[in-house]
Amino acid sequence: MATRPESVITVCCSDIAGQVRGKGFPATDLENRRRFGVGWTPTNIMINCFGRIPATPFGAEGDLMLVPQPGGDIRLPYDDGTPTEHIILGDIQTMAGEPWDCCLRGLLKRALATLEAEAGLRLIASFEHEFWYGAGEERPGDSYAASSIRGMEGFIGSFLAALRANDIAPDTFLPEYGPRQYEITIDPAEGLKAADQAVKLREICRSLARRHGSHASFSPVVTPGIVGNGVHIHFSLIDLAGKPVCHGTGCPSGLSEIAASFCAGILRHARALCAITAPSVISYERLKPHSWSAYYANLADRDREALLRICPYPEIEGVDVAKRYNIEYRGADATASPYLQLAMLVFAGLSGIRGALPAPFISSGDPGRWSAEERAERGIDDLPRSLGEALDALEADTAAVAWLGPVLTKAYLMHKRGEIEMAGDTGLEELCALYARAY
């Protein structure tokens, strides 16, 4: 006697490795699981991108709950008779129902609540993703070429439809500069939803690529020597009435005083932030000069090699500039959790508002043409040149450590230094292949 397949729901979290991990349960149990979720353990957060736990501060002790959250659903129905793929993003809580110290989604909630309480501001954001798609055609001269998406229509169509069905509004899909490299942009949303959408987008893309017999990778470097995959984090600020506050008429490059202080806070902590936003060994193969990424901690107007870029907007009659005005953080990639990336950018920006930091120098052209002394005069610091250097900068930044808290700081540094140790002296090509499969 044939039986109808039963659906499983997986409740998941985005962890230190930027991976989405969790546990499943029968879909019929959903209502019972909304309060207590599934059992989880502290050391799960220490699983690295290679699937190992080189070290853990938690040992085998401790119990937690991974609890599904409203708005966290990812649903992917398939037309081949198999059950719908259903994932729900969740929060990691203690057994008393309190946020756990290492719940990254909870950290972002705290950052956004602090921004609102202290500054009366909310964050609007969007994560712009670049990725590699194995079934894309690779041929000389196909950068940005229409020909590079031929044969991919089925995947692209199902990807965009799945995003829309999951309340993610696609903006553009385009061939990128690198071979088999593509970019997907989506409409902005308020802070927590924006990070949720970034996690969902990656999982939707990977799932549909597999359904189309291929593989999608968001790794920062898939092919050594080729421009890598970034995650460009666009952000702006609104007041509690919903009014945009980043644009200032008559201000340099249109950057308002409060937005300038927010950017100054990010730049002040840029070296530490790199350990969070570009947290893999190969992230620093992407953050190189003249590679359309970031190499210095600078703010620039419409420069795609600045760490912070003031984005362009149509300068035509009838355009509401304030609504379109936004800043782009370009030193990030998808080996990180979007929750952790956005939380630390918010905390750093808020520190600039607290300190009423003056507007940063707005650079033009390559800061590398200046000497180190000239860059220092302009307040432009070097970014770390390796993950190890970035982790040292994070550990030395007392403010950044305070934002993370002692438990997460210890776990994060241990986790990432373990990743460096495991990478060891692995050759670049092999290492890139490992990361391409992991992400």
Side-chain angles (χ1 to χ4, degrees), residues 369-386:
R369 73 186 189 277
W370 297 317
S371 67
E373 292 76 16
E374 289 172 323
R375 288 195 296 273
E377 288 173 2
R378 294 167 170 84
I380 298 175
D381 202 353
D382 290 355
L383 294 180
R385 305 308 187 212
S386 69

Side-chain angles (χ1 to χ4, degrees), residues 221-309:
V221 180
V222 174
T223 307
I226 301 296
V227 170
N229 296 316
V231 172
H232 305 144
I233 304 174
H234 291 255
F235 64 87
S236 61
L237 300 167
I238 60 173
D239 65 20
L240 300 187
K243 178 183 176 182
V245 301
C246 281
H247 182 258
T249 303
C251 298
S253 296
L255 190 67
S256 71
E257 184 177 334
I258 198 164
S261 292
F262 194 89
C263 290
I266 290 173
L267 294 178
R268 174 172 285 188
H269 297 280
R271 289 179 56 79
L273 290 175
C274 277
I276 301 294
T277 62
S280 76
V281 174
I282 62 168
S283 293
Y284 297 84
E285 289 297 317
R286 189 183 78 87
L287 299 181
K288 289 187 170 183
H290 314 302
S291 60
W292 292 63
S293 62
Y295 196 65
Y296 299 102
N298 64 315
L299 168 68
D301 192 350
R302 310 183 190 196
D303 182 345
R304 287 179 171 82
E305 292 193 341
L307 180 65
L308 289 178
R309 178 178 80 120

Side-chain angles (χ1 to χ4, degrees), residues 164-367:
R164 207 177 294 281
N166 283 278
D167 192 31
I168 302 171
D171 177 42
T172 63
F173 183 97
L174 59 140
E176 256 288 352
Y177 180 72
R180 301 183 185 179
Q181 186 186 36
Y182 304 89
E183 179 180 284
I184 177 74
T185 66
I186 60 176
D187 287 352
E190 286 204 21
L192 184 63
K193 184 176 181 180
D196 280 344
Q197 289 183 337
V199 176
K200 292 177 182 182
L201 182 148
R202 298 174 197 178
E203 293 306 300
I204 291 169
C205 183
R206 293 186 183 108
S207 180
L208 290 172
R210 183 173 179 273
R211 285 278 170 168
H212 283 267
S214 189
H215 172 64
S217 178
F218 292 84
S219 172
V221 180
V222 174
T223 307
I226 301 296
V227 170
N229 296 316
V231 172
H232 305 144
I233 304 174
H234 291 255
F235 64 87
S236 61
L237 300 167
I238 60 173
D239 65 20
L240 300 187
K243 178 183 176 182
V245 301
C246 281
H247 182 258
T249 303
C251 298
S253 296
L255 190 67
S256 71
E257 184 177 334
I258 198 164
S261 292
F262 194 89
C263 290
I266 290 173
L267 294 178
R268 174 172 285 188
H269 297 280
R271 289 179 56 79
L273 290 175
C274 277
I276 301 294
T277 62
S280 76
V281 174
I282 62 168
S283 293
Y284 297 84
E285 289 297 317
R286 189 183 78 87
L287 299 181
K288 289 187 170 183
H290 314 302
S291 60
W292 292 63
S293 62
Y295 196 65
Y296 299 102
N298 64 315
L299 168 68
D301 192 350
R302 310 183 190 196
D303 182 345
R304 287 179 171 82
E305 292 193 341
L307 180 65
L308 289 178
R309 178 178 80 120
I310 300 171
C311 296
Y313 47 82
E315 299 180 41
I316 57 177
E317 186 178 352
V319 171
D320 188 339
V321 173
K323 286 186 177 179
R324 290 178 172 265
Y325 196 91
N326 71 96
I327 313 299
E328 179 185 31
Y329 179 91
R330 295 182 61 82
D333 63 52
T335 59
S337 168
Y339 302 118
L340 188 53
Q341 289 174 321
L342 207 55
M344 293 299 276
L345 289 174
V346 168
F347 278 128
L350 179 57
S351 75
I353 293 175
R354 283 191 194 119
L357 297 185
F361 177 81
I362 300 176
S363 63
S364 177
D366 180 12

Side-chain angles (χ1 to χ4, degrees), residues 11 13 23 33-42 62-69 90-100 103:
V11 57
C13 62
K23 289 184 176 180
R33 297 284 183 173
R34 289 197 183 277
R35 185 175 180 190
F36 302 114
V38 296
W40 202 241
T41 58
D63 288 283
L64 300 163
M65 301 185 293
L66 180 52
V67 182
Q69 295 299 300
D91 287 350
I92 308 176
Q93 300 176 0
T94 68
M95 297 306 291
E98 299 295 326
W100 184 47
C103 175

Side-chain angles (χ1 to χ4, degrees), residues 33-53:
R33 297 284 183 173
R34 289 197 183 277
R35 185 175 180 190
F36 302 114
V38 296
W40 202 241
T41 58
T43 284
N44 285 353
I45 202 80
M46 301 304 293
I47 304 171
N48 67 18
C49 63
F50 304 124
R52 298 291 183 270
I53 306 174

